[in-house]
C-alpha cells in the first residue's frame, strides 16, 4: 500500500514539475552575426531552424497525383515549375564528386532548353563557379581539385561569379591556377563584394594577364558557326546608385542573353529585361543550413533566392550556386561546395 502511495505522489510531483517548467522556458535570443559584409536575414531565424518546411508540400502532392508510377533515381532531377515563361524547359541533377575531388562536394548540372538558343549552340556547355574565398576553407588542395574537375567537364566556356579571395596575397596564385582551366571560348568573370572591398585592381590585372575577360557592366559575344549568344556582366551590384541600370537593357529580346552577377538580389532590385538566364552566387547556399534552414542569409529577400533554380518577379530564371569557399567561419553544413555545369539546348517544339 505504501508503495502505491509513494508511486502516486511521485507521479503528481512529476506532472506538477512538467507544468511549471513551461513558465521557466525563456525565449532564445536572436543571433547577431556578420557574414560576408552583408545583412543577415531579418526574419525570425532561430524559430525557423526547428520548424518543418511545408512550402513544397502543395507542389509535392500535385506531382504525386500526376506521377503515381515515378521510381526514385540515385540522381535527383527536377523540372522547372510552371512559373517559367513559355519557351523554356529546365531540368537539374546533382552528382557527388568529393571522393575524387577533395574540397568540392558535387557537380550541379542543368539542362537549359530555350527557344532563343541558336542551333549552333545546341549542346553548348557552360561551367560556372563562384565564391572561392581562397584561402578560407578552400585552400591549395581544393584549388588543385577544382582545376582538375573543371577540365574533366570539357566545358565550352568558364564563367566566374566573384568573391575570389580572402587576402590580396593569394590573388596571383589563384589566377595562375585558374588559367590552367582550358575552354574553347575562354573565361569571363565579375567581381563580388569582397573584391570591391579589396584587391579589385589586382584581380583585374591578373585576369587580363591570363587572357580572362572581366565584365564590369559590359557585354561580350560568343560566336559559333555564324550564330551568337551574349554574355553581360554587372559591376558592383550593391551600388545601385551607379550601377542600377542593367547592361542587358540595351540588348535585343531575340538574342539569347546570359547575365552574370554576384548577387541574385540584383535581378529583383532592378529590371534585367532581355536576360534569358541569370547566374549568381553570394548566398553560399546559406553556408550553414540546419533542417533545411540557414541562420544567416546574405540577401534582403531571405531564403527566396537561397540556392538552385529560382525566378525573379519577371519570371526570368536564375541559377544560384552554393559556391565553393566560406566566409566568416570556415565551416559548411547542409550547403555542399559545388560547381555548376549548364548545357544549352534549342527548344524546337513548344
Amino acid at each position: 500500500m505504501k508503495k502505491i502511495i509513494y508511486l502516486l505522489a511521485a507521479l503528481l510531483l512529476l506532472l506538477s514539475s512538467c507544468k511549471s517548467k513551461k513558465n521557466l522556458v525563456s525565449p532564445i535570443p536572436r543571433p547577431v552575426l556578420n557574414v560576408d559584409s552583408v545583412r543577415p536575414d531579418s526574419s525570425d531565424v532561430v524559430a525557423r531552424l526547428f520548424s518543418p518546411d511545408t512550402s513544397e508540400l502543395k507542389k509535392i502532392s500535385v506531382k504525386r497525383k500526376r506521377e503515381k508510377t515515378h521510381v526514385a533515381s540515385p540522381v535527383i532531377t527536377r523540372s522547372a515549375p510552371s512559373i517559367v515563361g513559355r519557351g523554356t524547359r529546365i531540368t537539374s541533377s546533382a552528382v557527388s564528386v568529393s571522393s575524387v575531388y577533395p574540397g568540392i562536394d558535387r557537380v550541379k548540372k542543368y539542362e537549359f532548353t530555350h527557344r532563343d538558343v541558336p542551333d549552333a549552340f545546341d549542346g553548348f556547355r557552360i561551367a560556372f563557379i563562384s565564391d572561392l574565398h581562397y584561402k578560407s576553407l578552400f585552400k591549395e588542395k581544393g584549388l588543385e581539385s577544382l582545376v582538375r574537375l573543371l577540365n574533366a567537364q570539357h566545358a565550352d566556356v568558364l564563367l566566374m561569379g566573384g568573391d575570389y579571395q580572402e587576402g590580396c596575397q593569394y590573388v596571383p596564385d589563384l589566377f595562375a591556377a585558374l588559367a590552367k582551366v582550358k575552354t574553347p571560348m575562354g573565361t569571363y568573370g565579375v567581381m563580388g563584394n569582397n573584391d570591391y572591398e579589396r584587391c579589385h585592381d589586382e584581380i583585374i590585372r591578373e585576369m587580363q594577364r591570363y587572357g580572362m575577360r572581366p565584365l564590369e557592366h559590359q557585354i561580350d559575344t560568343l560566336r559559333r558557326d555564324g550564330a551568337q549568344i551574349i554574355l553581360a556582366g554587372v559591376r558592383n551590384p550593391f551600388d545601385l546608385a551607379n550601377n542600377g541600370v542593367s547592361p542587358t537593357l540595351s540588348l535585343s529580346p531575340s538574342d539569347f542573353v546570359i547575365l552574370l552577377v554576384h548577387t541574385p538580389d540584383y535581378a529583383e532590385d532592378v529590371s534585367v529585361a532581355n536576360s534569358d538566364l541569370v547566374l549568381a552566387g553570394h548566398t553560399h547556399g546559406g553556408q550553414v543550413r540546419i533542417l533545411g534552414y540557414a541562420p544567416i542569409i546574405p540577401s534582403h529577400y531571405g531564403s527566396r533566392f537561397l540556392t538552385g533554380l529560382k525566378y525573379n518577379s519577371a519570371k526570368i530564371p536564375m541559377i544560384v550556386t552554393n559556391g565553393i569557399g566560406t566566409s566568416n567561419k570556415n565551416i559548411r553544413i547542409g550547403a555542399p561546395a559545388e560547381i555548376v555545369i549548364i548545357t544549352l539546348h534549342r527548344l524546337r517544339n513548344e
Side-chain angles (χ1 to χ4, degrees):
M1 186 66 179
K2 288 182 179 181
K3 290 183 180 180
I4 295 175
I5 293 173
Y6 290 150
L7 184 60
L8 289 173
L11 182 60
L12 288 172
L13 181 61
L14 178 62
L15 291 173
S16 175
S17 175
C18 291
K19 184 177 181 180
S20 64
K21 283 180 180 179
K22 292 180 181 178
N23 299 322
L24 296 177
V25 177
S26 60
I28 301 173
R30 171 174 289 188
V32 180
L33 299 175
N34 182 25
V35 175
D36 211 12
S37 305
V38 293
R39 298 180 296 275
D41 183 22
S42 60
S43 59
D44 190 354
V45 174
V46 175
R48 293 189 298 119
L49 290 177
F50 302 100
S51 301
D53 182 4
T54 59
S55 63
E56 299 296 320
L57 289 180
K58 185 176 180 180
K59 295 179 182 178
I60 292 173
S61 63
V62 173
K63 189 173 183 180
R64 283 178 177 171
K65 289 179 182 179
R66 294 178 180 176
E67 300 181 8
K68 294 181 180 180
T69 61
H70 176 74
V71 178
S73 169
V75 177
I76 299 173
T77 302
R78 296 177 180 175
S79 297
S82 59
I83 191 173
V84 69
R86 183 177 175 84
T88 306
R89 295 175 186 169
I90 310 166
T91 59
S92 66
S93 61
V95 179
S96 175
V97 296
S98 58
S99 61
V100 181
Y101 300 98
I104 314 295
D105 295 316
R106 71 183 185 186
V107 177
K108 194 71 180 291
K109 297 183 177 182
Y110 293 87
E111 303 292 325
F112 193 92
T113 305
H114 194 279
R115 61 188 172 192
D116 288 343
V117 172
D119 283 328
F121 284 86
D122 197 321
F124 189 81
R125 289 169 61 82
I126 300 165
F128 175 48
I129 61 174
S130 189
D131 298 273
L132 277 63
H133 290 277
Y134 187 73
K135 301 175 178 179
S136 56
L137 188 64
F138 181 67
K139 295 183 173 64
E140 291 92 340
K141 289 184 178 180
L143 181 57
E144 187 271 336
S145 289
L146 175 63
V147 171
R148 287 193 299 112
L149 177 57
L150 287 171
N151 280 324
Q153 301 306 306
H154 303 292
D156 294 293
V157 68
L158 172 62
L159 304 183
M160 305 187 296
D163 272 7
Y164 300 102
Q165 45 68 39
E166 285 294 319
C168 297
Q169 66 272 31
Y170 306 131
V171 170
D173 289 344
L174 171 62
F175 284 95
L178 291 175
K180 297 176 183 177
V181 179
K182 303 303 180 184
T183 58
M185 294 197 178
T187 298
Y188 297 79
V190 294
M191 305 294 135
N193 51 294
N194 270 27
D195 308 319
Y196 289 107
E197 292 168 3
R198 59 175 181 258
C199 315
H200 175 270
D201 293 344
E202 294 93 325
I203 292 170
I204 295 293
R205 183 171 59 248
E206 291 299 317
M207 288 182 69
Q208 292 175 337
R209 176 183 178 184
Y210 293 105
M212 303 175 186
R213 176 75 189 274
L215 295 175
E216 296 266 74
H217 246 65
Q218 295 169 305
I219 63 172
D220 208 332
T221 304
L222 302 182
R223 293 182 172 87
R224 175 187 274 184
D225 298 335
Q228 67 180 31
I229 62 175
I230 307 296
L231 299 180
V234 175
R235 177 181 55 239
N236 196 351
F238 304 96
D239 181 7
L240 297 184
N242 291 311
N243 304 316
V245 177
S246 170
T248 63
L249 298 189
S250 62
L251 299 175
S252 169
S254 62
D255 281 324
F256 184 78
V257 177
I258 299 173
L259 178 64
L260 187 60
V261 60
H262 182 63
T263 173
D265 287 9
Y266 186 85
E268 185 68 17
D269 290 339
V270 304
S271 170
V272 292
N274 301 322
S275 301
D276 296 299
L277 172 63
V278 177
L279 302 182
H282 185 59
T283 66
H284 297 192
Q287 189 168 310
V288 175
R289 283 159 60 187
I290 303 171
L291 301 180
Y293 293 100
I296 297 298
I297 303 174
S299 166
H300 51 262
Y301 295 103
S303 61
R304 180 178 172 187
F305 305 126
L306 181 60
T307 185
L309 179 61
K310 303 296 180 181
Y311 298 84
N312 68 358
S313 295
K315 298 184 179 181
I316 296 173
M318 297 191 287
I319 293 175
V320 184
T321 180
N322 289 350
I324 297 171
T326 54
S327 61
N328 194 39
K329 299 295 183 183
N330 289 339
I331 184 172
R332 272 189 179 269
I333 298 175
E338 66 184 18
I339 71 167
V340 170
I341 300 293
I342 304 156
T343 304
L344 301 182
H345 301 283
R346 178 172 177 81
L347 183 65
R348 303 183 185 282
N349 298 302
E350 291 287 345

